[in-house]
């Protein structure tokens, strides 16, 4: 009995608890926050105004901002201002009834004060056709193309359309139909009528790399920029030129090499200089988009042009009986057409004489006075109105008086000793003959030769030390040159300059031929632009037997090129690279190294006694060379040749040249531990006879027919 009572009590208690819980939940609902409707927006495919054809439907898209953000709180009602013009369903579909205008009001159910209005324009007829002004097209990355839509019929229909793209990462389109290439790929551009007819038209756009710009610099360098990165080969590039815009005759200009660091910007190296005053057409054959660009070349920049304001120093002796005479001109390939000259500030005694059109000028006369820096200015104006000037600075002495001047000094390399362990080193980077007296100025006057006394930072130095240990360390050096007339030791003058000597930076790398083998006998050059005084930095180095080179240079901007004097191809070039730290540049000579053997029994090496000339099928002539392999034991005959067929040129006696053959190559080790080689067993002289041979990737050797020379 007690157990039954307990169960009953437990059941009752549980029910009581549940009832209590139910009461609590009801209290929570009653305390819920009020719904807050912030904003109602309403738009259609065409925007805030709906353009609907009679009998067609257009959907209203509503956006209701509420708190709390629950679906039930976002319900709206729709109401039309004129049912005779347009009706609207509970789901927001506007239907055109007859031509006219109306308004659709969208109202929040939770807050009647929050509403939005859509204007409605009903047209009498529906669009039957949408047509675009182009079919599928290509577009370069970054380029734009405007599309236009034609609506049929032309009258009593809405002309409002919307534009869409299937892939914004490939191409975008504006509300006015302007398509822009964004990234490589294909996208569909759709133009759709907004009147409910559902009529639309689409085109595919293929976006890829195209030519962004073309410019000419440096005489033989064409700069090509693509809209996006793309790997190009030499065979992809074609360059043509025509003399005028009306001319239909193009002449192909041979391309030597191409260089790129980012596959987007390319330097096209031409075999010859690009002439000014012509139309240049550059075609990238592998591109499908914007593959050809034509530009007008107004001027062609030479690699070592001086600036517009160049300076020339003139030293003379006014006591000389001969009249001073000089034809003046400004050499600057940046000018367009002929220059028209004028000159001012000539020293007393000189006069300027012009031709009829003032396209040439000559100064003549006898100097009346001693001059210590009288400056005349030669001005040339080209056919485009650009002005170029050249300053002529006169220093004129006499038999009884010396005058001198000094030029602004430039940075030079410190002296560097020879590496006795490197038998293949050359003078590149060693300060030999760079800091000479002539570097810093000049002297005029006197009746004899000049004797020089040189001091560096106040210390007398002789000619031997001047270029050696004196300049072993980097730093600033004040160099003074005292000059004495050898005929009269009382006639003296002096001039000085402060020179900044730097340790320099190293340009190094390898040089190979088209087969990837070491380009023996090649040279690498570094050449800067000339300053206004006509000075430049000019360095060179031989390629070592291991295929490497090294140049020690003053930090500057250089044109680098590798060249082999046996080749009939243009050198490999890096135009105007800034060298501020040690840098590596690898070159490929655009030719194969062809090795020439003979039928001389036992021949291990050769030297040329009389040169052997080769003629290519396009008329280019090349001479054979001998390796003189003191450092690698290679004493073969060779030439660097582009693919093609060649003839060995013979004289009337059918002799192309003469070689000396050797039957032995001896090796030697110097006291410094360097290994060198020499030829032994002289086999005599042999005449080489003519013939033809072909050069390609698989054929890089040729055999010469030789007959021993008999006395």
């Amino acid at each position: 009995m007690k157990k039954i009572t307990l169960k009953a009590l437990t059941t009752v208690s549980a029910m009581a608890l549940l009832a209590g819980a139910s009461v609590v939940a009801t209290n929570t609902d009653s305390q819920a926050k009020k719904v807050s409707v912030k904003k109602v927006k309403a738009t259609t495919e065409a925007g805030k105004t709906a353009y609907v054809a009679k009998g067609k439907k257009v959907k209203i898209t509503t956006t209701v901002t509420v708190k709390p953000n629950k679906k039930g709180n976002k319900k709206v009602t729709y109401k039309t201002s004129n049912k005779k013009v347009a009706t609207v369903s509970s789901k927001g579909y506007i239907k055109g009834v007859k031509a006219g205008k109306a308004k659709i009001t969208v109202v929040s159910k939770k807050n009647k004060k929050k509403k939005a209005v859509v204007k409605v324009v009903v047209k009498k007829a529906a669009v039957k056709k949408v047509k675009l002004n182009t079919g599928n097209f290509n577009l370069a990355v970054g380029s734009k193309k405007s599309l236009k839509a034609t609506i049929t019929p032309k009258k009593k229909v809405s002309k409002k359309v919307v534009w869409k793209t299937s892939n914004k990462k490939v191409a975008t389109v504006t509300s006015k139909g302007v398509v822009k290439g964004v990234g490589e790929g294909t996208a569909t551009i759709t133009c759709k009528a907004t009147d409910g007819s559902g009529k639309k038209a689409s085109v595919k756009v293929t976006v890829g790399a195209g030519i962004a710009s073309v410019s000419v610099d440096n005489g033989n360098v064409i700069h090509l920029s693509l809209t996006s990165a793309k790997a190009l080969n030499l065979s992809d590039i074609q360059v043509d030129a025509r003399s005028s815009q009306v001319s239909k005759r193009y002449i192909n200009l041979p391309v030597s090499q191409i260089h790129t660091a980012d596959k987007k910007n390319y330097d096209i190296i031409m075999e010859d200089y690009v002439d000014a005053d012509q139309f240049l057409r550059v075609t990238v054959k592998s591109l499908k988009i914007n593959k050809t660009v034509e530009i007008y070349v107004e001027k062609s920049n030479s690699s070592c042009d001086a600036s517009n304001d160049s300076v020339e120093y003139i030293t003379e002796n006014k006591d000389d009986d001969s009249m001073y005479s000089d034809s003046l001109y400004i050499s600057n390939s940046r000018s367009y057409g002929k220059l028209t000259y004028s000159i001012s500030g000539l020293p007393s005694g000189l006069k300027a004489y012009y031709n009829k059109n003032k396209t040439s000028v000559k100064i003549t006369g006898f100097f009346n006075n001693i001059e210590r820096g009288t400056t005349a200015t030669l001005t040339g104006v080209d056919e485009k109105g650009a002005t170029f000037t050249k300053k002529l600075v006169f220093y004129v002495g006499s038999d009884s008086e010396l005058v001198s001047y000094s030029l602004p000094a430039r940075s030079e390399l410190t002296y560097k000793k020879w590496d006795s362990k490197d038998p293949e080193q050359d003078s590149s980077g060693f300060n030999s003959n760079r800091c000479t007296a002539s570097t810093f100025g000049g002297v005029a006057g006197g009746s004899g030769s000049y004797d020089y006394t040189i001091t560096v930072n106040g210390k007398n130095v002789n000619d031997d030390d001047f270029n050696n240990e004196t300049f072993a360390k980097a730093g600033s050096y004040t160099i003074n040159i005292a000059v004495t007339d050898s005929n009269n030791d009382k006639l003296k003058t002096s001039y000085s300059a402060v020179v900044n000597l730097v340790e320099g930076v190293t340009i190094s790398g390898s040089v190979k031929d088209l087969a990837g083998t070491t380009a023996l006998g090649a040279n690498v050059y570094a050449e800067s632009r000339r300053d206004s005084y006509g000075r430049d930095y000019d360095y060179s180095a031989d390629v070592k037997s291991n295929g490497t080179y090294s140049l020690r240079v003053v930090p500057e901007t250089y044109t680098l090129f590798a060249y082999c004097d046996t080749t009939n191809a243009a050198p490999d070039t890096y135009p105007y690279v800034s060298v501020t730290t040690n840098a590596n540049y690898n070159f490929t000579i655009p030719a194969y190294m062809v090795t020439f053997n003979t039928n001389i029994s036992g021949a291990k090496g050769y030297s040329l006694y009389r040169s052997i000339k080769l003629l290519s099928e396009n008329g280019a002539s090349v001479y054979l060379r001998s390796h003189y392999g003191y450092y690698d034991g290679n004493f073969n005959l060779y030439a660097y040749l582009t693919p093609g067929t060649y003839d060995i040129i013979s004289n009337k006696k059918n002799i192309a040249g003469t070689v000396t053959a050797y039957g032995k190559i001896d090796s030697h080790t110097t006291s410094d531990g360097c290994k060198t080689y020499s030829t032994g067993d002289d086999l005599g002289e042999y005449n080489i006879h003519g013939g033809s041979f072909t050069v390609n990737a698989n054929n890089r050797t040729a055999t010469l027919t030789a007959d021993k020379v008999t006395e």
Side-chain angles (χ1 to χ4, degrees):
M1 187 71 181
K2 288 181 179 180
K3 291 181 179 179
I4 295 172
T5 303
L6 288 170
K7 287 180 179 180
L9 289 171
T10 302
T11 302
V12 172
S13 297
M15 292 176 65
L17 289 170
L18 289 170
S22 176
V23 170
V24 173
T26 302
N27 290 339
T28 302
D29 281 343
S30 65
Q31 296 172 3
K33 295 181 180 179
K34 292 183 179 180
V35 175
S36 176
V37 180
K38 300 295 185 181
K39 195 172 184 180
V40 177
K41 286 185 177 181
T43 60
T44 67
E45 195 173 39
K48 292 184 178 181
T49 300
Y51 298 87
V52 192
K54 179 181 176 181
K56 302 297 182 179
K57 294 180 179 180
V58 172
K59 181 72 169 63
I60 297 176
T61 301
T62 60
T63 303
V64 182
T65 307
V66 298
K67 287 185 178 182
N69 190 17
K70 293 183 179 180
K71 187 175 181 181
N73 298 335
K74 297 183 179 182
K75 292 182 178 181
V76 295
T77 60
Y78 303 91
K79 185 179 180 181
T80 180
S81 66
N82 192 340
K83 293 182 179 180
K84 294 181 179 181
V85 174
T87 61
V88 62
S89 72
S90 60
K91 294 184 178 181
Y93 284 94
I94 304 171
K95 182 178 181 181
V97 178
K98 73 173 185 177
K101 295 181 180 181
K103 292 182 180 180
I104 305 296
T105 304
V106 185
V107 183
S108 168
K109 281 188 174 184
K110 290 292 183 180
N111 187 345
K112 306 295 185 183
K113 294 182 179 180
K114 300 297 181 180
K115 61 184 68 177
V117 175
V118 174
K119 296 180 180 179
V120 181
V121 178
V122 179
K123 293 291 185 178
K124 188 176 181 178
V127 173
K128 293 183 178 182
K129 187 177 182 180
V130 178
K131 185 179 180 181
L132 298 178
N133 63 330
T134 184
N136 299 338
F137 62 95
N138 298 324
L139 193 64
V141 175
S143 298
K144 296 179 180 180
K145 183 178 178 66
S146 295
L147 303 184
K148 292 183 180 181
T150 301
I151 304 298
T152 304
K154 293 183 179 182
K155 297 180 179 181
K156 299 181 180 182
V157 298
S158 171
K159 301 294 180 66
K160 184 70 174 179
V161 295
V162 291
W163 298 86
K164 293 183 179 180
T165 177
S166 65
N167 193 337
K168 291 182 178 180
K169 293 182 178 180
V170 174
T172 60
V173 61
T174 69
S175 60
K176 295 183 179 181
V178 180
V179 182
K180 182 180 180 180
V182 178
E184 293 194 22
T186 302
T188 300
I189 306 298
T190 302
C191 178
K192 181 183 177 183
T194 63
D195 68 343
S197 64
K199 300 299 181 180
K200 58 186 176 181
S202 300
V203 292
K204 288 184 179 180
V205 55
T206 301
V207 181
I211 298 178
S213 65
V214 172
S215 62
V216 178
D217 187 26
N218 239 13
N220 70 327
V221 180
I222 298 173
H223 298 300
L224 168 70
S225 294
L226 303 180
T227 56
S228 60
K230 183 177 178 63
L232 302 179
N233 299 314
L234 183 62
S235 59
D236 293 322
I237 307 298
Q238 180 175 326
V239 180
D240 304 287
R242 55 177 177 161
S243 58
S244 69
Q245 221 167 3
V246 296
S247 175
K248 296 181 179 180
R249 181 174 179 267
Y250 282 93
I251 299 174
N252 181 257
L253 304 181
V255 179
S256 178
Q257 303 102 36
I258 61 173
H259 293 294
T260 183
D262 56 7
K263 297 182 181 180
K264 187 176 180 180
N265 299 288
Y266 287 83
D267 287 329
I268 303 171
I269 315 301
M270 309 301 294
E271 287 192 7
D272 299 310
Y273 282 96
V274 178
D275 295 329
D277 195 19
Q278 65 177 333
F279 291 85
L280 197 71
R281 184 178 67 184
V282 178
T283 301
V284 182
K285 291 180 283 187
S286 59
L287 297 180
K288 296 180 180 180
I289 301 160
N290 196 27
K291 62 188 296 181
T292 299
V293 171
E294 188 173 73
I295 63 169
Y296 178 65
V297 184
E298 289 190 349
K299 52 194 177 183
S300 180
N301 296 338
S302 175
S303 61
C304 286
D305 240 356
S307 65
N308 287 1
D309 295 312
S310 59
V311 182
E312 179 182 346
Y313 284 81
I314 298 172
T315 56
E316 292 289 331
N317 189 327
K318 81 177 189 69
D319 294 336
D320 288 346
D321 294 332
S322 59
M323 176 184 288
Y324 180 83
S325 181
D326 192 12
S327 295
L328 305 179
Y329 64 95
I330 297 175
S331 179
N332 199 312
S333 60
R334 294 175 177 86
S335 61
Y336 177 86
K338 292 183 178 181
L339 297 178
T340 302
Y341 290 108
S342 62
I343 190 169
S344 61
L346 285 174
S348 176
L350 300 185
K351 291 184 178 181
Y353 297 90
Y354 304 93
N355 66 351
K356 184 178 180 181
N357 299 319
K358 290 191 172 183
T359 55
S360 67
V361 58
K362 187 175 184 178
I363 56 172
T364 61
F366 294 91
F367 292 99
N368 293 332
N369 305 311
I370 292 175
E371 304 287 350
R372 295 183 176 84
T374 296
T375 302
T377 302
L378 177 67
T379 302
V381 181
D382 71 5
E383 295 176 16
K384 288 283 188 179
T387 299
F388 302 85
T389 60
K390 180 179 183 179
K391 294 178 181 178
L392 306 171
V393 186
F394 293 87
Y395 283 85
V396 180
S398 69
D399 289 349
S400 59
E401 187 168 353
L402 295 180
V403 297
S404 60
Y405 69 89
S406 61
L407 294 176
R410 301 198 307 170
S411 295
E412 296 285 353
L413 292 173
T414 59
Y415 174 79
K416 187 176 179 181
K417 292 182 178 180
W418 293 92
D419 183 1
S420 60
K421 296 182 179 180
D422 184 4
E424 292 187 76
Q425 66 186 331
D426 53 37
S427 61
S428 171
F430 297 85
N431 201 33
S432 59
N433 299 319
R434 284 202 172 270
C435 294
T436 60
S438 61
T439 302
F440 309 121
V443 181
S447 59
S449 60
Y450 299 137
D451 296 326
Y452 296 93
T453 301
I454 304 170
T455 62
V456 178
N457 290 345
K459 180 182 178 181
N460 287 332
V461 296
N462 57 43
D463 291 341
D464 293 334
D465 291 334
F466 185 68
N467 293 316
N468 298 319
E469 302 302 332
T470 302
F471 302 103
K473 297 181 180 179
S476 182
Y477 293 79
T478 300
I479 302 174
N480 185 268
I481 296 95
V483 185
T484 305
D485 189 334
S486 61
N487 288 342
N488 184 356
D489 58 9
K490 294 183 179 180
L491 292 183
K492 298 180 179 181
T493 188
S494 65
Y495 55 95
S496 63
V498 178
V499 180
N500 181 40
L501 297 193
V502 298
E503 289 290 349
V505 294
T506 300
I507 304 172
S508 59
S510 63
V511 184
K512 297 180 179 180
D513 69 352
L514 287 177
T517 59
T518 296
L520 299 173
N523 304 96
V524 177
Y525 301 87
E527 185 178 291
S528 73
R529 289 189 184 274
R530 290 178 182 166
D531 64 10
S532 60
Y533 299 93
R535 304 173 302 185
D536 64 348
Y537 291 114
D538 186 7
Y539 304 95
S540 65
D542 298 329
V543 177
K544 299 181 180 181
S545 57
N546 63 1
T548 65
Y549 74 93
S550 180
L551 285 167
R552 181 168 168 262
V553 303
V554 171
E556 186 56 86
T557 299
Y558 294 93
T559 288
L560 309 175
F561 58 98
Y563 176 76
C564 185
D565 64 357
T566 71
T567 185
N568 62 325
D572 190 13
T573 308
Y574 290 93
Y576 288 96
V577 294
S578 179
V579 183
T580 56
T581 59
N582 294 343
N584 184 269
Y585 292 94
N586 298 321
F587 295 88
T588 299
I589 300 291
Y592 294 107
M593 187 182 75
V594 180
T595 301
F596 293 83
N597 303 312
T598 70
N599 61 335
I600 304 172
S601 178
K604 304 293 184 182
Y606 310 89
S607 64
L608 285 164
Y609 180 69
R610 285 197 291 270
S611 60
I612 301 173
K613 187 177 182 181
L614 309 177
L615 186 68
S616 70
E617 53 194 339
N618 62 5
S621 60
V622 183
Y623 286 92
L624 263 64
R625 294 288 187 267
S626 177
H627 275 300
Y628 302 115
Y630 302 127
Y631 309 121
D632 61 3
N634 185 350
F635 290 87
N636 289 319
L637 302 172
Y638 75 102
Y640 283 90
L641 305 172
T642 55
T645 301
Y646 295 83
D647 290 317
I648 301 172
I649 306 300
S650 301
N651 59 23
K652 294 181 179 179
K653 297 181 179 181
N654 196 31
I655 297 173
T658 307
V659 300
T660 300
Y662 302 95
K664 185 180 179 181
I665 306 297
D666 298 317
S667 63
H668 313 274
T669 302
T670 66
S671 58
D672 297 321
C674 298
K675 198 170 186 178
T676 60
Y677 300 85
S678 63
T679 55
D681 290 347
D682 191 334
L683 302 179
E685 295 178 3
Y686 291 80
N687 289 327
I688 301 300
H689 299 283
S692 299
F693 61 94
T694 301
V695 175
N696 53 49
N698 300 316
N699 189 21
R700 303 195 300 274
T701 61
T703 300
L704 304 174
T705 302
D707 293 328
K708 192 169 186 178
V709 177
T710 57
E711 295 182 1

